[in-house]
Amino acid sequence: MSGNGDAAATAKENGSRMRVIRVGTRKSQLARIQTDSVVAALKALYPGLQFEIVAMSTTGDKILDTALSKIGEKSLFTKELENALERNEVDLVVHSLKDLPTVLPPGFTIGAICKRESPYDAVVFHPKFVGKTLETLPEKSVVGTSSLRRAAQLQRKFPHLEFKSIRGNLNTRLRKLDEQQEFSAIILAVAGLQRLGWQNRVGQILRPEDCMYAVGQGALGVEVRAKDQDILKLVGVLHDHETVLCCIAERAFLRHLEGGCSVPVAVHTVMKDGQLYLTGGVWSLDGSDSMQETMQATIPVPVQHEDGPEDDPQLVGITARNIPRGAQLAAENLGISLANLLLSKGAKDILEVARQLNDAH
């Protein structure tokens, strides 16, 4: 395929034999909304193509009585979707980028990262505590979160609170909060609440000084077969340059630390005036031990696109041919450099203890 419109043009010529692009997704309401938004963007770009959504359940959707960090961190919400991709049952899969491991299985790549929505976390309060903040909740109030990252940071910041795992999709977690008396509040991603139209439930948005976010949080990733050039070109136009560079830096940081959902690792990224600023941190499980640093890198702006047609290596699982290679490498190097800085100061010990404790409990 020589250009982004070729797939649509071919489909038009074929008339009744128009190609159907099959899009895989998880079955949850949020996953469907996210997938619908990607499909709507593709339909607007390629009006001559048809899209069919194929929904399926993943391991992470089925095991609801165990904390995420206990199940095992690889491909928890992606494996079944990737199996369908491998069997050519779907052509692309839409994920929350934070669910995609930094090392993808062979044969797959992230062909598009859409413009990031808010990457922050929100506090949703039980109806009787509406108007409160985490700071003003009563002593020993129980706050629900399925994330070690959130629990570690918030325990450190708000020692008067207790944190307990809560599982299920967003609808389920909100129902548990509202209908049971177990939780005073729960922590959820702002982006998910916004996509579901539940902004009115946001009682407090956690800023980076209270709780940094997960790698890739707030962004959607489109996973495809790495050798499917047709689909790679089709979805590549969805790449948002700034989001891609921020997420390359974040994913490189996490990969180099060898982190995952079984250890508390968090980030905060800002792009401003050609500079990419990355803050990264690691915590012990109870938040008592922590380490964070900030580094910055200049993102080069080339006079012209310097990639040749043969250049197609992935960076942290991402293929982005329409973003200058030099900029991508600068972002990756920033993530690696920050990870090395933390490792040189003892981050490995914090993460190793956290991993062992998590495995033991």
Side-chain angles (χ1 to χ4, degrees):
M1 205 168 90
S2 59
N4 288 327
D6 287 10
T10 305
K12 206 169 186 178
E13 287 165 18
N14 290 342
S16 60
R17 292 183 291 114
M18 180 189 292
R19 182 175 179 188
V20 176
I21 306 295
R22 296 151 305 164
V23 184
T25 178
R26 290 165 62 194
K27 284 183 174 176
S28 75
Q29 183 187 3
L30 177 58
R32 289 301 302 265
I33 287 171
Q34 292 177 167
T35 300
D36 287 347
S37 72
V38 170
V39 168
L42 288 171
K43 277 181 176 174
L45 289 163
Y46 307 107
L49 288 177
Q50 287 188 339
F51 294 86
E52 176 189 323
I53 294 175
V54 181
M56 57 195 86
S57 295
T58 65
T59 304
D61 296 313
K62 293 169 186 169
I63 305 174
L64 296 175
D65 57 352
T66 309
L68 289 176
S69 57
K70 305 289 186 197
I71 305 170
E73 63 200 62
K74 300 292 185 195
S75 306
L76 198 54
F77 292 106
T78 60
K79 189 174 177 60
E80 285 78 3
L81 295 161
E82 286 171 341
N83 287 345
L85 202 52
E86 189 171 31
R87 293 191 298 261
N88 287 311
E89 292 168 7
V90 296
D91 300 298
L92 54 108
V93 174
V94 179
H95 302 280
S96 292
L97 186 61
K98 67 177 182 176
D99 290 338
L100 281 167
T102 55
V103 179
L104 298 183
F108 301 111
T109 189
I110 300 165
I113 297 178
C114 305
K115 186 174 175 60
R116 190 177 219 165
E117 294 187 42
S118 170
Y120 298 109
D121 288 318
V123 189
V124 179
F125 292 92
H126 185 282
K128 70 181 177 187
F129 291 119
V130 167
K132 295 272 190 187
T133 64
L134 288 182
E135 206 161 13
T136 59
L137 277 177
E139 189 87 16
K140 301 286 186 192
S141 292
V142 177
V143 177
T145 173
S146 59
S147 159
L148 294 179
R149 169 189 61 81
R150 291 168 177 153
Q153 291 181 82
L154 294 173
Q155 273 181 302
R156 183 180 179 89
K157 188 82 178 179
F158 306 102
H160 70 292
L161 302 176
E162 293 181 1
F163 294 86
K164 186 176 176 183
S165 177
I166 183 170
R167 288 292 320 284
N169 60 42
L170 263 64
N171 309 56
T172 304
R173 286 187 238 180
L174 282 171
R175 194 165 60 247
K176 284 180 181 176
L177 172 69
D178 291 342
E179 295 176 5
Q180 301 169 13
Q181 300 304 311
E182 185 176 4
F183 299 102
S184 300
I186 58 176
I187 314 294
L188 299 169
V190 171
L193 289 164
Q194 288 176 337
R195 288 172 186 143
L196 285 163
W198 295 340
Q199 296 93 323
N200 63 322
R201 290 304 307 265
V202 175
Q204 180 181 1
I205 291 177
L206 297 171
R207 291 301 163 191
E209 52 271 21
D210 293 327
C211 188
M212 291 199 296
Y213 43 81
V215 165
Q217 184 161 318
L220 299 180
V222 182
E223 190 178 16
V224 302
R225 290 179 290 273
K227 290 184 178 177
D228 194 337
Q229 302 302 320
D230 198 37
I231 297 295
L232 262 171
K233 284 191 176 180
L234 188 83
V235 302
V237 292
L238 298 178
H239 270 310
D240 178 75
H241 288 216
E242 184 173 318
T243 303
V244 170
L245 295 175
C246 287
C247 290
I248 284 176
E250 293 171 15
R251 286 171 66 83
F253 171 72
L254 182 64
R255 180 196 274 190
H256 206 67
L257 280 178
E258 297 182 347
C261 65
S262 65
V263 289
V265 175
V267 293
H268 178 243
T269 321
V270 177
M271 179 93 85
K272 189 178 180 184
D273 300 328
Q275 296 288 312
L276 181 56
Y277 300 85
L278 173 62
T279 302
V282 300
W283 287 261
S284 58
L285 286 190
D286 64 359
S288 60
D289 204 358
S290 75
M291 184 181 295
Q292 63 186 71
E293 295 285 349
T294 301
M295 291 182 80
Q296 71 187 81
T298 300
I299 299 300
V301 182
V303 178
Q304 59 185 34
H305 203 291
E306 78 273 31
D307 288 0
E310 74 287 348
D311 289 335
D312 191 28
Q314 297 184 35
L315 291 184
V316 285
I318 298 163
T319 300
R321 293 191 194 122
N322 55 343
I323 296 175
R325 184 77 181 159
Q328 294 186 55
L329 289 170
E332 183 189 42
N333 288 335
L334 175 62
I336 292 170
S337 298
L338 184 61
N340 280 333
L341 178 60
L342 288 181
L343 289 169
S344 73
K345 294 189 171 190
K348 195 175 183 69
D349 292 338
I350 296 175
L351 292 172
E352 195 51 48
V353 170
R355 197 173 275 115
Q356 287 170 0
L357 281 173
N358 182 57
D359 291 344
H361 285 128

